[in-house]
Amino acid sequence: MSHRMPLWNAETDADDELVEVDVNLALGNYGQNGLYDDGFAAQPRIDETTLVAAQQIMAHQAAFAQIPDGVKRFIVHFYQAITENNLPEITSAYESGWNRMTEKFYAKTEWPEAEVIAPLVNDDPIFLILYRELYYRHVYSRLSPNIDDRFHSYENSCELFNYLLNSEGPVTLELPDQWLWDIIDEFIYQFQSFCLWRSKVHQKSDEEISMLATEEGASQWSCYSVLNVLYSFIQKSKINEYLVAQKKGLSQEDINDIVGEYGSKQLYRMLGYFSVVGLLRVHVLLGDYTLALKVMENVELNQKTSFTRVTACHVATYYYVGFCYMTLKRYTDASRTFVSILNLLFRIKNYHSRSYQYDQINKTADRMYALFAICYALSPGRHDDQILNMVKERYGEQLSRMSRGEEGLQAFEELFLYACPKFITANPPPYRSLPLLAQFVNSPPPEPAQRHVQLFLSDVRNQLSVPTLRSFLKLYTSLDARKLAGFLDEEEEGMVEKMMVLKQASRSISRAGLGGTNAHQGRGAQVPAGESEGGLLDGQTISTSDLDFVINQNMVHISESTVGRRYAGWFIRNTEYAQRVYDGVKNSPLPLPRSTTAPAAPGAKDVAPAPAPEAPVKKGVAWGANVKAA
């Protein structure tokens, strides 16, 4: 204990010295300077943008950790294929891999955002733009897009198109034809979806209305910008010049000199080609059917054109061309268009059932059956038996109602509204003026589809008397005018007016009599070099009915032409059907022989079965009569 005393004494002396020391200076403030008091929120010491960026990074890291390993490997593989321009691998990843991953992991949720998967692809801006294109397409098809999704998808499309159109020279990117068509098709679909969503003012929240009222919101998905993109691709690729040179039979070197460096590349040529079909669709959605067919004047409708490489593009082209013909009252051309593509779909239905667009193709085909039923009701004649039977199976009730005069108007309206495209209005509601917007809500304009169906029904209403008059005329070769007027419960003047309507309804402009290839035959031959079958608007007036008449004084003379059955087509279809049945029987496995012996008892010895008794041989004479045994 004695050796510790000096220490204790020293500590006592130190305590005495502390009396003269400022304790606050010795201890410091230790956080008591008010930096993190309540007033800190009013005077931040860290940049708010930096804090938000740090939070986003942490959120992206958390989201990145939740991505399945299989999805990460797929994205890396997809990125490598696009970077190396490996077209087979890109096609496989796009058509198969993406859809498999979607069904397995993201059937009901969004894919990871582009910023989350950016570290996997070295922040490659081109791949991220393409990834966002797939990302927003998934949102539109599987989920419900909000206003941010609609705005951002438009901005991403603009970035993609600016990269393709405004780069210094053609880009080195290579994508499969199916993806190029889907880019154009999805761009138009999102434009159509935005126009339909924007026109429903009563379903908008205050925040959405305020965003649409801004200058940026008003410029989103404008009709001018969409048309500008499509026309820019057509001009950049010189696709019309390419098609004209191809019709003339020029060599590939001469064609490349005409179309230049952009049109010589497959990417730009197919984007230009698909943009022509996209213009056809946009003009139909806006209700300009003549201009829609005009933009297709250099595109031939046969089985050897470029759009046949993509089944969805092939079907869409024939659907919109046929719809244009129907609304222009060229029912013969419309029927031939629908029959051509429906026959093709029937032959390849087992092939395109493997496509990821199988459901969409089937829906479009079913709408074409409905449109064919309308054309057949308005212009009956000789049509393909197979397609006609399928139409009667699907829409037999509507066909019978459409031939009953005024009662059939409802059936026409039902089929038209079901089968027509979703028309749009180019002008948006007046979101930037609250008084005008309130007036718009109180007295909204009619829906675009209702306007078009009323225009169509006005033409149909003028032809309501045609089926009844035809049924009477088919019973006679000559008929007194007064007697016919009595059948119709009309005065003679009213009867003559109805007969003139029938005469007009049996005349139509058609391309059936043009030279060259028939544009609507599924097996049409290619147009010879230097010759053209003309544009889709070309044609000549033909008779579309097998019934004709003349009025001589008070007598009506009727002439009915009977068209013979087309046996060649009938034999071809039945031969193909017999071949399919034969192939199915040939490829089916042989049946296994049935065992006739009962299972042996356990422990029993194998005993050879006794030979069956031989049947008595009956002798017969040469002509087969049996001889009784002696």
Side-chain angles (χ1 to χ4, degrees):
M1 293 291 292
S2 60
H3 66 280
R4 294 183 179 179
M5 291 300 295
L7 296 177
W8 293 341
N9 294 334
E11 291 178 358
T12 305
D13 297 338
D15 291 338
D16 295 337
E17 294 177 355
L18 287 176
V19 177
E20 300 178 358
V21 177
D22 189 353
V23 178
N24 292 330
L25 292 176
L27 295 177
N29 52 32
Y30 287 99
Q32 299 177 10
N33 57 357
L35 179 62
Y36 296 101
D37 292 343
D38 294 338
F40 174 68
Q43 298 179 354
R45 300 300 177 88
I46 301 178
D47 187 9
E48 187 70 21
T49 306
T50 304
L51 181 61
V52 172
Q55 293 175 349
Q56 290 179 349
I57 292 175
M58 295 177 62
H60 290 166
Q61 290 176 349
F64 182 84
Q66 295 177 358
I67 300 177
D69 292 338
V71 176
K72 293 178 181 177
R73 289 192 296 269
F74 167 74
I75 292 175
V76 172
H77 173 73
F78 202 1
Y79 165 68
Q80 292 175 349
I82 291 179
T83 304
E84 298 170 359
N85 282 333
N86 190 338
L87 201 57
E89 292 294 331
I90 296 174
T91 304
S92 177
Y94 174 74
E95 296 185 359
S96 179
W98 177 269
N99 295 292
R100 285 206 306 267
M101 292 296 170
T102 298
E103 293 294 338
K104 187 174 182 180
F105 298 105
Y106 303 106
K108 297 182 180 179
T109 59
E110 299 176 352
W111 274 73
E113 294 184 358
E115 291 75 14
V116 176
I117 60 102
L120 293 173
V121 298
N122 299 324
D123 292 329
D124 186 277
I126 305 306
F127 180 83
L128 293 179
I129 291 175
L130 295 173
Y131 176 83
R132 290 190 190 97
E133 193 272 330
L134 296 174
Y135 171 86
Y136 288 117
R137 193 193 309 175
H138 171 69
V139 171
Y140 274 86
S141 62
R142 298 292 187 101
L143 310 173
S144 180
N146 54 32
I147 188 170
D148 291 332
D149 293 329
R150 298 180 188 276
F151 282 16
H152 293 160
S153 65
Y154 173 75
E155 294 170 357
N156 185 73
S157 298
C158 291
E159 290 183 12
L160 175 60
F161 297 145
N162 286 332
Y163 167 70
L164 295 174
L165 293 170
N166 299 328
S167 298
E168 295 181 358
V171 300
T172 58
L173 182 67
E174 291 187 12
L175 296 177
D177 293 344
Q178 179 68 60
W179 195 350
L180 297 177
W181 160 253
D182 289 339
I183 288 174
I184 299 297
D185 182 65
E186 186 67 19
F187 178 64
I188 298 174
Y189 168 74
Q190 292 178 8
F191 162 66
Q192 177 187 14
S193 176
F194 182 84
C195 292
L196 295 173
W197 171 82
R198 181 180 58 187
S199 62
K200 300 176 182 179
V201 181
H202 60 282
Q203 298 179 0
K204 301 289 178 294
S205 63
D206 294 338
E207 181 181 0
E208 292 174 341
I209 291 177
S210 61
M211 293 180 66
L212 291 172
T214 61
E215 184 176 355
E216 180 184 1
S219 62
Q220 296 285 324
W221 292 110
S222 67
C223 185
Y224 172 79
S225 61
V226 173
L227 293 175
N228 183 47
V229 167
L230 299 178
Y231 277 111
S232 297
F233 275 121
I234 293 174
Q235 294 174 359
K236 182 72 72 171
S237 63
K238 295 186 178 180
I239 186 62
N240 287 318
E241 293 82 350
Y242 174 85
L243 295 174
V244 172
Q246 197 176 38
K247 285 182 182 180
K248 294 179 179 180
L250 300 181
S251 63
Q252 190 61 42
E253 292 77 8
D254 295 338
I255 294 178
N256 291 339
D257 292 339
I258 293 174
V259 299
E261 57 178 351
Y262 283 93
S264 302
K265 287 186 63 68
Q266 178 76 4
L267 178 98
Y268 287 94
R269 183 165 64 247
M270 295 309 298
L271 281 174
Y273 197 94
F274 293 144
S275 295
V276 174
V277 181
L279 276 180
L280 165 72
R281 177 180 176 183
V282 172
H283 289 312
V284 170
L285 296 179
L286 295 174
D288 195 340
Y289 309 114
T290 302
L291 184 57
L293 294 179
K294 182 66 176 176
V295 299
M296 293 279 293
E297 61 181 351
N298 294 318
V299 179
E300 297 179 359
L301 296 187
N302 55 50
Q303 304 302 324
K304 296 185 178 182
T305 49
S306 298
F307 60 73
T308 58
R309 302 176 186 176
V310 181
T311 305
C313 178
H314 194 180
V315 174
T317 303
Y318 275 73
Y319 167 74
Y320 286 106
V321 169
F323 186 81
C324 289
Y325 279 140
M326 190 193 76
T327 51
L328 294 175
K329 296 187 286 188
R330 296 175 59 167
Y331 303 116
T332 302
D333 286 341
S335 299
R336 295 166 70 88
T337 304
F338 295 138
V339 166
S340 175
I341 190 62
L342 291 174
N343 270 328
L344 177 66
L345 290 178
F346 182 79
R347 292 198 298 268
I348 65 172
K349 62 180 180 180
N350 293 329
Y351 169 75
H352 75 78
S353 62
R354 300 192 295 268
S355 171
Y356 65 94
Q357 294 183 329
Y358 175 72
D359 294 335
Q360 182 62 34
I361 292 174
N362 270 349
K363 292 178 181 178
T364 306
D366 195 57
R367 288 198 290 266
M368 285 191 285
Y369 280 115
L371 295 177
F372 178 83
I374 294 176
C375 295
Y376 179 76
L378 294 174
S379 180
R382 189 67 182 174
H383 296 283
D384 186 274
D385 295 335
Q386 180 178 350
I387 300 300
L388 187 57
N389 291 334
M390 296 179 70
V391 169
K392 289 180 179 179
E393 290 178 2
R394 298 170 184 246
Y395 304 106
E397 180 185 355
Q398 286 89 340
L399 276 175
S400 61
R401 287 165 54 195
M402 285 188 290
S403 61
R404 299 175 188 171
E406 193 72 26
E407 182 183 350
L409 285 177
Q410 185 177 2
F412 278 108
E413 183 177 1
E414 292 174 359
L415 290 181
F416 186 91
L417 291 176
Y418 165 72
C420 71
K422 294 182 179 180
F423 297 103
I424 60 176
T425 302
N427 298 323
Y431 285 105
R432 309 185 73 174
S433 175
L434 293 180
L436 293 178
L437 186 62
Q439 184 179 357
F440 182 90
V441 173
N442 295 330
S443 58
E447 294 289 334
Q450 290 297 327
R451 293 201 307 268
H452 287 279
V453 75
Q454 292 304 322
L455 291 173
F456 173 74
L457 291 179
S458 64
D459 293 332
V460 174
R461 192 173 286 108
N462 295 330
Q463 303 183 35
L464 290 179
S465 61
V466 170
T468 304
L469 184 56
R470 278 177 53 88
S471 63
F472 284 123
L473 293 180
K474 291 178 72 72
L475 299 175
Y476 299 90
T477 57
S478 61
L479 182 63
D480 184 76
R482 293 182 181 179
K483 186 175 182 180
L484 180 59
F487 289 154
L488 298 174
D489 294 332
E490 292 279 353
E491 298 293 336
E492 289 191 18
E493 293 182 359
M495 181 268 297
V496 172
E497 291 179 359
K498 291 186 176 181
M499 295 190 72
M500 292 300 102
V501 171
L502 174 60
K503 178 73 75 171
Q504 182 64 28
S506 62
R507 300 287 186 271
S508 176
I509 298 176
S510 177
R511 305 179 69 238
L514 294 178
T517 301
N518 192 332
H520 306 299
Q521 289 180 355
R523 300 175 178 268
Q526 190 175 11
V527 178
E531 296 182 12
S532 175
E533 60 180 7
L536 298 182
L537 286 173
D538 296 336
Q540 61 183 7
T541 302
I542 64 170
S543 176
T544 60
S545 176
D546 56 355
L547 188 70
D548 200 1
F549 62 89
V550 294
I551 302 176
N552 186 9
Q553 295 182 357
N554 291 330
M555 292 296 296
V556 180
H557 300 279
I558 302 101
S559 174
E560 183 177 2
S561 60
T562 303
V563 180
R565 186 185 183 93
R566 298 178 180 176
Y567 293 102
W570 186 86
F571 278 112
I572 289 173
R573 288 193 300 271
N574 283 275
T575 302
E576 291 177 349
Y577 175 75
Q579 185 65 36
R580 289 194 298 270
V581 173
Y582 173 74
D583 293 340
V585 173
K586 184 178 179 181
N587 296 328
S588 60
L590 294 174
L592 297 176
R594 296 183 179 179
S595 176
T596 57
T597 58
K605 296 181 179 180
D606 295 337
V607 180
E614 296 182 359
V617 179
K618 296 182 180 180
K619 297 181 179 180
V621 292
W623 53 85
N626 294 330
V627 179
K628 295 182 180 179

